[in-house]
Amino acid sequence: MSPATPPTYTDIAHSAAEAGLEIYGAFHAAADDLGSDLSKDVATKGPDLPPNSAKPDGLQPDGTMVLFGTGPGFWAQFETTPEFRDGTADPVDRWSRRTIDALAAAWGAQARYPFTGPPYQPFVAWARASGRCFTSPSQMLVHDRLGMMISFRGALYFAHYIDLPPPPRSTSPCESCTGRPCLTACPVDALVAGGPYGVAACHDHLNTAAGASCLSGGCLARRACPLSARAARPLSQSAHHMRYFHNQ
């Protein structure tokens, strides 16, 4: 596949899966819509922002943003990479840049990352604009298939239109979740209805023996989401991310 042969959505999904990535969402937007203006639109309109359609000002879209996260085969592949084995900082971020930069070069796309900044790219706004991520009752993102166990690794912006499948859901999965265990699973109430996220309470808990299960297996509230099990995330992967979160 060369830049002269624009990839289809299926092409992108296939190459992403081979690399251990998964498409978490995609939407159409012009390049000048991908910064603060889009963030404001999404923050104001929430799920009502029409994904995969005309821009909010009525102009037609001319580009395509594709968002990537870790797939079910990611961790097993990652453990064989130089980034995992070299013992230096930020191995997942470095692997993400190497992998997604290669896809960008092959297709003539622009790579964007959630961990480069400040200023940081508005991945939360982009996720919601894709129509595949929603705001959970605790204000954390919830994905239509993977629940709250998601990790965005990067995105590719294509300056041309790519036909996209429609989002599988029109409303948040939280609307039909009667138990809402994400609001009660945290032992120190760091995640509560309406937010905000109690970062200090979370870190304090992780410093205790009672927080060992969170450190070794991932956030209890995120794991409690009924959809999160679909991510099939290995405990070692969750432990890695929790270790970086707690030590940052």
Side-chain angles (χ1 to χ4, degrees), residues 208-232:
T208 69
S213 62
C214 298
L215 277 174
S216 62
C219 170
L220 293 179
R222 293 176 67 190
R223 288 157 56 187
C225 173
L227 295 177
S228 291
R230 296 181 181 180

Side-chain angles (χ1 to χ4, degrees), residues 1-4 7 12 15 21 66 68 96-113 154-160:
M1 185 75 63
S2 69
I12 298 169
S15 293
L21 295 168
V66 182
F68 299 98
S96 300
R97 294 201 70 154
R98 176 171 63 84
T99 302
I100 297 175
D101 279 354
L103 294 177
W107 289 326
Q110 299 176 27
R112 313 285 179 92
Y113 297 98
L156 289 180
Y157 179 71
F158 298 85
H160 58 275

